Amino acid sequence: MTTFVDRVELHVAAGNGGHGCASVHREKFKPLGGPDGGNGGRGGDVILVVDQAITTLLEYHHSPHRKATNGQPGAGDNRSGKDGQDLVLTVPDGTVVLDKQGNVLADLVGQGTTFVAGQGGRGGLGNAALSSARRKAPGFALLGEPGEARDIVLELKTVADVALVGYPSAGKSSLISVLSAAKPKIADYPFTTLVPNLGVVTAGSTVYTIADVPGLIPGASQGRGLGLEFLRHVERCSVLVHVLDTATLESDRDPVTDLDIIEEELKQYGGLEDRPRIVVLNKIDIPDGQDLADMIRPDLEARGYQVFEASAVARTGLKELSFALADIVAKARAAKPKEESTRIVLRPKAVDDAGFTVTYDEAEDVYRVRGEKPERWVRQTDFNNDEAVGYLADRLNRLGVEDALMKAGARAGDGVAIGSEDNAVVFDWEPTMMAGAEMLGRRGEDHRLEAPRPAAQRRRDREAERDDAQREFDDFNPF
């Protein structure tokens, strides 16, 4: 059974906002009680929070679909709906959040670091909040917005100071088991280590963490073996330790060639050129191992490597190695810029920013309106209620959409689409939709919407022509 997972695809869905309520206060001897519909509650957010007690993404591997609760609808007597509860998902320290295209959305490092993966939908306003001098008793309320739903990828990059890299069976797990209190699985066959192991080492006054990365082989940076899955675990380390096997039983291998191959894989992976390297010649307790270490050590030192000889079995050379690593880690920590507390930065939008665009879509013969406010207002509109549609027209006019359509060349009866191409609301534009209260009619009605819709008829005619052409083609070519 899988016990360690460092990459998952997570499907998150924030809660939907509750619908507003359209209600009129009714009480004996108060025939004109006025609107009293309450607002809908806000949908819950999906929030990722770093918890250093968590070390794996296994929980989300088994349950990849997560959804926050919805906001409750409003009710009469000015009762607002209850807000949805935020869904807090704990992730390990060092988790990177990406979208499906591989773009980094957040790099979560440090206890308590948060990222809102899904924004909850706003609750709709009730008719009490929509009432005005012109609309004293609105017969409609705004719908709640749907919560944000998207697919994200979580990748875990181990937060450690030292990374042990090398060929399978080079003795990395044995080293970490004697340097720290970690108890990894140790056996005499390759790829015994299938997951990174972490250990804590104390050397004098310095305490640092060390990671045992699964064995690398040629082609690891392109996906061979386990390398591609675990090379990312060395990205955050301050120093890389090459563990070379001086007692290998394979005749076609030698420690220097192993070092060159691993260095090439690290180069292909990229981003690790600035990390200091240390070479550990392991298994010198074996006579042939000590002889080989004596032969290759001058060559490695000539290349500029700091070389240590060690044996996890005989417990030799470990103290010098641990203190040398502690010195490098201490220097790396001192060189890092001082961390400052997170500042809240407010960036208000410019006052003259319209917040929408109007473009002409020649293929569909419509003017397309894109913008946060227009699209949100469309999502909140109940199109089964004419008065609600009229209210939407008034809001768009006040925002300046009508003026922008005129500048773009739109004429009365032209089609206007608000929203993305795959989820747009299309209607026929009639200029000067603003009107007084005398135009509204009874509750839930708007006389401005009773006019014919020529643009809609043109679209239906084009669709009918396309359907006829498709049927003729099918009749002509039955295969």
Side-chain angles (χ1 to χ4, degrees):
M1 179 179 294
T2 302
T3 58
F4 180 86
V5 175
D6 63 349
R7 189 180 190 278
V8 296
E9 182 175 332
L10 194 61
H11 313 277
V12 297
N16 301 327
H19 299 328
C21 176
S23 172
V24 175
H25 182 71
R26 302 182 185 277
E27 189 176 347
K28 192 175 183 180
F29 305 120
K30 290 185 180 180
L32 301 177
D36 66 348
N39 302 332
R42 177 189 64 86
D45 298 335
V46 179
I47 305 174
L48 303 179
V49 181
V50 172
D51 184 354
Q52 292 181 338
I54 306 296
T55 59
T56 176
L57 299 171
L58 180 63
E59 178 183 357
Y60 308 117
H61 173 73
H62 294 306
S63 303
H65 297 270
R66 300 301 177 103
K67 187 179 187 308
T69 57
N70 299 329
Q72 298 299 312
D77 200 16
N78 293 304
R79 291 174 293 175
S80 296
K82 182 180 179 181
D83 291 342
Q85 187 174 0
D86 293 339
L87 177 61
V88 178
L89 305 177
T90 55
V91 295
D93 192 6
T95 300
V96 179
V97 186
L98 307 98
D99 60 16
K100 292 298 291 293
Q101 289 72 38
N103 302 313
V104 177
L105 303 177
D107 193 352
L108 306 179
V109 178
Q111 177 70 24
T113 304
T114 62
F115 171 70
V116 179
Q119 190 77 41
R122 301 187 188 187
L125 296 179
N127 65 343
L130 297 173
S131 62
S132 63
R134 194 164 66 89
R135 282 187 173 88
K136 296 185 180 297
F140 68 98
L142 297 186
L143 304 178
E145 281 190 277
E148 184 180 11
R150 60 178 174 178
D151 299 334
I152 59 176
V153 176
L154 303 182
E155 285 188 353
L156 175 59
K157 295 181 180 179
T158 302
V159 180
D161 298 301
V162 180
L164 303 180
V165 296
Y167 258 74
S169 297
K172 301 183 297 298
S173 299
S174 299
L175 275 179
I176 197 174
S177 68
V178 296
L179 286 172
S180 68
K183 301 299 179 185
K185 181 180 180 181
I186 300 173
D188 58 351
Y189 53 85
F191 297 111
T192 305
T193 302
L194 298 177
V195 300
N197 296 301
L198 282 178
V200 179
V201 181
T202 302
S205 59
T206 304
V207 179
Y208 59 91
T209 56
I210 186 169
D212 164 25
V213 180
L216 304 178
I217 60 175
S221 59
Q222 279 73 44
R224 288 195 63 196
L226 303 174
L228 187 60
E229 295 297 324
F230 297 109
L231 270 172
R232 59 173 168 265
H233 289 279
V234 305
E235 290 186 26
R236 302 188 192 277
C237 298
S238 302
V239 56
L240 302 180
V241 178
H242 284 283
V243 181
L244 302 182
D245 185 359
T246 61
T248 179
L249 300 178
E250 300 179 33
S251 58
D252 58 341
R253 281 180 49 201
D254 65 87
V256 177
T257 303
D258 291 353
L259 174 64
D260 294 337
I261 291 174
I262 298 301
E263 276 294 331
E264 181 62 25
E265 295 305 319
L266 295 176
K267 180 181 177 181
Q268 293 294 330
Y269 186 75
L272 302 170
E273 296 80 7
D274 59 335
R275 311 300 163 83
R277 266 77 160 165
I278 283 182
V279 174
V280 175
L281 300 176
N282 195 25
K283 303 182 183 179
I284 61 170
D285 56 293
I286 299 176
D288 292 341
Q290 182 64 67
D291 295 340
L292 184 57
D294 294 337
M295 292 175 56
I296 64 175
R297 179 166 186 163
D299 183 20
L300 296 175
E301 290 178 341
R303 297 188 184 189
Y305 290 109
Q306 189 176 2
V307 181
F308 293 87
E309 298 178 4
S311 170
V313 176
R315 305 291 179 100
T316 58
L318 301 179
K319 184 176 181 180
E320 295 83 355
L321 174 61
S322 63
F323 275 89
L325 293 175
D327 183 57
I328 297 176
V329 170
K331 291 179 180 179
R333 291 174 180 174
K336 286 184 178 180
K338 185 179 180 181
E339 294 185 0
E340 298 181 358
S341 58
T342 303
R343 297 181 179 180
I344 300 176
V345 180
L346 302 178
R347 295 186 177 89
K349 294 183 180 180
V351 175
D352 58 349
D353 186 7
F356 67 90
T357 59
V358 176
T359 56
Y360 178 64
D361 188 344
E362 186 174 357
E364 297 294 333
D365 190 25
V366 295
Y367 289 86
R368 199 169 295 279
V369 180
R370 297 299 306 273
E372 180 184 352
K373 283 186 176 180
E375 294 182 32
R376 171 160 53 85
W377 292 345
V378 165
R379 290 194 298 268
Q380 291 181 319
T381 300
D382 180 7
F383 287 93
N384 294 320
N385 187 304
D386 289 348
E387 189 180 356
V389 179
Y391 177 71
L392 170 65
D394 293 343
R395 300 179 85 181
L396 295 174
N397 192 10
R398 288 194 297 268
L399 185 63
V401 173
E402 183 169 314
D403 294 337
L405 287 170
M406 288 183 177
K407 291 179 182 179
R411 295 175 297 176
D414 286 344
V416 175
I418 300 180
S420 59
E421 296 183 6
D422 56 346
N423 189 26
V425 174
V426 184
F427 60 92
D428 295 336
W429 180 55
E430 289 295 334
T432 317
M433 290 291 286
M434 289 290 290
E438 68 279 358
M439 293 291 293
L440 297 180
R442 296 180 299 176
R443 293 179 64 245
E445 297 179 356
D446 194 311
H447 296 321
R448 296 172 291 175
L449 303 177
E450 297 176 359
R453 303 180 61 195
Q457 185 60 45
R458 291 199 300 271
R459 287 193 298 276
R460 285 193 290 268
D461 293 341
R462 286 199 303 271
E463 292 175 359
E465 292 176 0
R466 286 197 292 265
D467 293 341
D468 292 341
Q470 184 64 41
R471 281 194 294 270
E472 291 179 2
F473 176 79
D474 294 340
D475 294 339
F476 178 76
N477 185 13
F479 301 102

